[in-house]
Amino acid sequence: MAENHPFVLPVFYQPYPARLNPNVEGARVHARVWAKEMGMLDAPAEGGGVIWDEAELDRHDYGLLCAYTHPDCDAPALDLVTDWYVWVFFFDDHFLDAFKRTRDMKGAKAYLDRIPLFMPLDLGPVPEAENPVELGLIDLWQRTAPGMSTGWRKRFLESTVNLLFESLWELTNITTDRVANPIEYIEMRRKVGGAPWSAGIVEYAVGAEVPDAVAYERPLEVLRDTFSDAVHLRNDLFSYEREVTDEGENANAVLVFERFLGMGTQEAANLVNDILTSRLHQFENTALTEVPILAADKRLSPPEQAAIALYAKGLQDWQAGGHEWHMRSSRYMNDAAQRVLGGPNGIGTGAARISMSGLKQHSREPFRKVGPIALPEIHLPYELRLNPLLDQARRHGEEWAAAMGFLAPDPALPGSGLWDREQFLGFDFALCSAGIAPEAAQAELDTSADWLAWGTYGDDYYPAVFGRGRNLAPAIAQHQRLLEFLPLDLGPTPVPANPIEMGLADLWQRTAAQFNERARAEFKATVTVMLESWLWELHSENQNRVPDPVDYVEMRRRTFGSDMTMALARLKAGREIPDAVFQSRPIRAMETAAMDQSCLVNDLFSYRKETEFEGQIANAVTVVEEYLDCGPVQAMDVVNALMSARVEQFQFIAENDLPPVVAELDLDADEQRALDAYVLSLRDWNAAILNWHRFTARYQDDKLRPLMMAGPGAAGGPRAFPKSATVEPEAPKEFKLPATATAGLRPPSWKDYLRRASDAPAPVATANPTTAATMRR
């Protein structure tokens, strides 16, 4: 590589061979003619000259890109796909020239507001085009949409709007000279980078749409998001020199990690490649272990299952072809192509770490001895406000928990008595609720504390009852039972059979009755998301798999119950705040920033409890340890830095991004007051959770004890451990993965998860070092 390049390209994980569509030459010719007809060639640039000429278009070679990323479609389909990519790359360069370089926010907003008008879902009339981007979009939509379903049109319109409108986020960061934090960057790059949009093109190219019934289920979302993140991170590695050095952009993952972790460019590039590799492993794991379960659970027909398989294969082909094109296109730093693509690429070379990275995710031994660790100083500049009705809420909480069977074994309630009264009083959930709802009336405060108690009980109940076996059938059965306790019409429910069902039955009736049918459905969706996330935790634990870092952050919001607790505040405020406010990017970004801050607080405080006493691996500190190959102290510092960055992002949005939303939607004084109160409630939420962690006995070293075990159907309740913290359980034998075990390992079959509780135990779920080969076959 030439000496003037900022770093050497890392060795990439590329398990799928790139294949070239034989219709490539026709696509090249067609793209050239089409771009000319749409006015894209020789379109004038703001500073003089043109944005593209024919030679520039040829150098980019979008025909080659699409021939590599869609190797199996016929010539007409390849021509249309190539035109879409010519259009989207022209938009990117045109927007850069007209608005990013000139910092013209007002003009950019007006320009983008017109784009959805040219993609009518009903295929109706459109306005007259005013520029090549609009003219090209009219032509492309008329050639594509009639052959696709309404569901596809909605999804594709959404991804197109995100792709184009989130360019304003990039423009804002450029204008303020702001580099995003890693969590924010991955989240926003997924929208502005366009890969979800590319996933929609894949559906067209392979001739198989994702079934509407499951399009928004977690496994399909993960396939799309892991595909997207891998595409974008790969692009960031190749485009760093052009974007950061030449164009002055700051939306690049390498730059983000340089700034956030204070590391050199080469080291940051290597880390970006590690995360890229992890996302590809997550894609494989989801395709092989989660999609089949979804298909069985939703009873998808053979054609629907085949459509998902073709879609997954299309995403896989795109990854391989996109990499090959990046190695050849003139847009990118790629003069080390032969060094990366050629030469040895097996065990014993520099690629060994990459090739074994999937297996390494499954090799962490649980129940590691941690010992007391001093927590870093946590920065949270919010004032804590406590509800004066706290003491009464504490008394109510103790009575309610006892009535639900949380505190003492009850022969009529299998699995009851997971906690004792001393533990519950030390947990002090009412203290947390008193900070979350400092102005609430007594009944509302009591209900809030009861939801926290129930959610925490469920968080302990699932691993205690289901988590030490290899058969998830009882957990799935329990999940399906819990959904029956959430009737939208508040009608009859089954008779509760255990404490977790009894608590949910009571809380649902008390809470949902306050909402109208629409709000009730929204709240039910958030409870369902949390319940599903508990199954995800068990799924990861049963594979002994350290979560992918991106997947972990996004799922942690669900396992923590963030959506549910925020929904209570949102639905209350929603009576005065327009829906458009809650749907805006600033509010959504503030919510996720607040969620992450509190989730990571919990991970810091619970690290020893979960790691040493419960043998869990789903913790942010553990994830950072594994991916940065560092010790727990350094990992805690990184987690703390992420928390601080999310707080700073929250404040930045409140000060800079929220006022334009208020102005654009023309909120009146009452609506603005309600919005201010909602933002304050998010700050209260963060302050209350941090305060609770500092005072609760749940994570205090002298109160820690192994998680009590309660087998499914055990009428006698849990097996109690002594109340001292001196018990040091040995790691269960089935959790250990020998370092030399590289043969005969496999991921769990979907049949393992859906077998009846009376069936023989499922085989141990372990890693598969040849996952990629399995997918190819």
Side-chain angles (χ1 to χ4, degrees), residues 365-421:
E365 189 166 329
F367 294 102
R368 289 190 178 185
K369 185 72 175 178
V370 173
I373 300 179
L375 296 180
E377 183 177 349
I378 297 173
H379 169 69
L380 187 68
Y382 303 152
E383 178 186 358
L384 174 70
R385 303 189 297 153
L386 285 178
N387 195 307
L389 305 174
L390 169 59
D391 287 339
Q392 176 57 34
R394 283 172 168 150
R395 289 190 290 271
H396 163 84
E398 180 184 357
E399 295 170 359
W400 183 81
M404 296 302 107
F406 291 1
L407 306 186
D410 181 347
L413 289 177
S416 60
L418 188 62
W419 300 332
D420 59 34
R421 191 172 300 275

Side-chain angles (χ1 to χ4, degrees), residues 261 267 360 364 368 607 620-639:
L261 294 175
E267 190 179 5
K360 182 177 182 294
R364 183 181 176 96
R368 289 190 178 185
Y607 172 72
V621 179
T622 298
V623 172
V624 172
E625 281 185 275
E626 292 297 313
Y627 283 88
L628 291 185
D629 194 21
C630 63
V633 174
Q634 183 181 353
M636 283 187 170
D637 288 340
V638 171
V639 170

Side-chain angles (χ1 to χ4, degrees), residues 530-567:
M530 184 174 71
L531 295 176
E532 290 173 346
S533 73
W534 292 348
L535 293 177
W536 169 83
E537 280 191 308
L538 292 180
H539 182 63
S540 295
E541 294 287 345
N542 287 343
Q543 297 182 77
N544 196 53
R545 182 174 184 268
V546 176
D548 162 80
V550 179
D551 194 45
Y552 177 77
V553 168
E554 294 174 345
M555 288 304 297
R556 187 69 179 97
R557 298 167 189 162
R558 302 183 182 189
T559 61
F560 194 63
S562 306
D563 290 315
M564 184 189 72
T565 52
M566 283 190 179

